[in-house]
């Protein structure tokens, strides 16, 4: 049987010295964040990563998991009353399922102004595909984080809540 040790990382992804205390998080009020996938996406590792990242940033996270039907997303938004909804896609159906989900959510008068963002692999055509961002912003998302944009842009968005935005791997 093999044993592996994991080196703790700081917020910048650098290895911390053994026994070193984690850096203090910046003083900012934590928000309630609801994390979800789109209805056809059964991947969970991305959701766990987002949950841990957001918690590390000082936010209270409710992770409702994978393959979330639109109706359940709406119910959970009403139950949790989040300050932000983060939707993640790994399977490439984020643009299709995400557009439908956000339109249904925006049709609810009590959820119309709830900030909602989406990110990940949004289409099945890969890196050569056109951006889905404009379409997703028009559908009702406040920000779009395309596959190659990286986590730094997402973190900046969560910290500043700048909107509406399209964050892609390409030039802006």
């Amino acid at each position: 049987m093999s044993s592996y040790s994991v080196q703790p990382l700081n917020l910048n992804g650098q290895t911390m010295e053994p026994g070193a205390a984690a850096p203090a998080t910046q003083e900012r009020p934590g928000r309630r964040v609801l994390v979800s996938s789109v209805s056809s996406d059964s991947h969970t590792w991305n959701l766990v990563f987002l949950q841990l990242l957001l918690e590390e940033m000082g936010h209270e996270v409710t992770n409702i998991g994978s393959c979330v039907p639109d109706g359940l997303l709406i119910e959970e938004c009403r139950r949790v009353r989040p300050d932000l909804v983060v939707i993640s896609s790994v399977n490439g159906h984020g643009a299709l399922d995400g557009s439908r989900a956000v339109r249904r959510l925006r049709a609810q008068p009590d959820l119309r102004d709830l900030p909602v963002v989406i990110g990940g692999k949004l289409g099945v055509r890969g890196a050569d595909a056109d951006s889905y961002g404009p379409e997703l912003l028009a559908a009702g998302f406040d920000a779009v984080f395309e596959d190659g944009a990286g986590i730094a842009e997402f973190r900046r968005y969560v910290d500043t809540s700048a909107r509406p935005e399209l964050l892609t791997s390409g030039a802006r």
Side-chain angles (χ1 to χ4, degrees):
M1 180 156 103
S2 297
S3 168
Y4 301 93
S5 64
V6 177
Q7 291 289 349
L9 301 177
N10 68 17
L11 296 177
N12 297 321
Q14 299 165 331
T15 303
M16 292 173 45
E17 294 297 319
T25 57
Q26 294 176 337
E27 290 291 324
R28 69 178 159 275
R31 294 187 231 153
R32 286 184 314 272
V33 181
L34 187 130
V35 172
S36 178
S37 72
V38 292
S39 61
S40 67
D41 201 319
S42 63
H43 296 89
T44 57
W45 60 264
N46 54 318
L47 302 173
V48 171
F49 171 80
L50 285 169
Q51 177 178 346
L52 294 173
L53 174 71
L54 290 162
E55 287 174 345
E56 184 177 83
M57 293 172 68
H59 305 291
E60 177 186 329
V61 178
T62 301
N63 183 341
I64 60 174
S66 61
C67 294
V68 176
D70 301 347
L72 179 59
L73 176 64
I74 291 167
E75 285 177 29
E76 288 300 296
C77 286
R78 286 188 172 127
R79 183 183 71 78
V80 173
R81 291 291 176 201
D83 301 308
L84 174 67
V85 175
V86 176
I87 298 178
S88 178
S89 175
V90 174
N91 71 357
H93 298 135
L96 179 65
D97 292 345
S99 291
R100 183 193 63 245
V102 79
R103 282 188 176 106
R104 287 195 61 200
L105 190 134
R106 296 290 185 227
Q108 309 301 310
D110 58 325
L111 301 175
R112 186 167 292 138
D113 296 324
L114 176 62
V116 183
V117 302
I118 190 168
K121 187 175 178 190
L122 303 175
V124 294
R125 290 181 279 170
D128 296 331
D130 292 332
S131 171
Y132 293 96
E135 165 190 330
L136 290 165
L137 289 172
F141 282 101
D142 294 289
V144 175
F145 302 91
E146 305 228 16
D147 194 21
I151 201 67
E153 293 298 326
F154 174 74
R155 289 177 66 114
R156 184 187 61 76
Y157 177 87
V158 171
D159 280 344
T160 62
S161 294
R163 51 184 237 222
E165 290 187 44
L166 165 61
L167 301 167
T168 67
S169 56
R172 279 189 1 117

